[in-house]
Amino acid sequence: MADGKRWVVVGPPRGDASLLLARAIGEQQSATVGRQGGGRVFLFLETDNFARDHARYLAAGVVFREPPRSEPYGMVAKFEDLYGNLWDLIEPRASD
């Protein structure tokens, strides 16, 4: 794209949602990389098998900021991506 702009859209095949990732342009945007959430989790990755995916991510070197925990809404653990953004890996609790 013009002016050094570049992006990629990622998402599951036949998924209901996708995520557009754009490269930072200039000092102001570059200074916020990894801090878009202001130090809070702002991205959520839902799984249907928490134990499987947590183990897979650990084996791949993903940095988890906390051990897995059970919450009323499901199993969750906070992790960071390569740029320091915080995510929750979450398996929602089955509804009754």
Side-chain angles (χ1 to χ4, degrees), residues 60 70 96:
S70 179
D96 296 328

Side-chain angles (χ1 to χ4, degrees), residues 30-43:
S30 295
T32 64
V33 170
R35 297 184 298 149
Q36 288 91 329
R40 294 188 57 162
V41 169
F42 79 108
L43 299 162

Side-chain angles (χ1 to χ4, degrees), residues 10 18-21 34 36-37 39-46 50 57 62-66 69 76-90:
V10 295
S18 58
L19 183 63
L20 184 143
L21 303 171
Q36 288 91 329
R40 294 188 57 162
V41 169
F42 79 108
L43 299 162
F44 300 85
L45 183 58
E46 189 173 306
F50 183 91
Y57 292 0
V62 172
V63 176
F64 280 85
R65 294 279 195 93
E66 60 185 20
R69 67 183 191 279
V76 63
K78 184 188 314 180
F79 69 95
E80 63 182 69
D81 66 19
L82 295 175
Y83 304 99
N85 295 301
L86 299 179
W87 294 68
D88 271 350
L89 176 64
I90 182 169

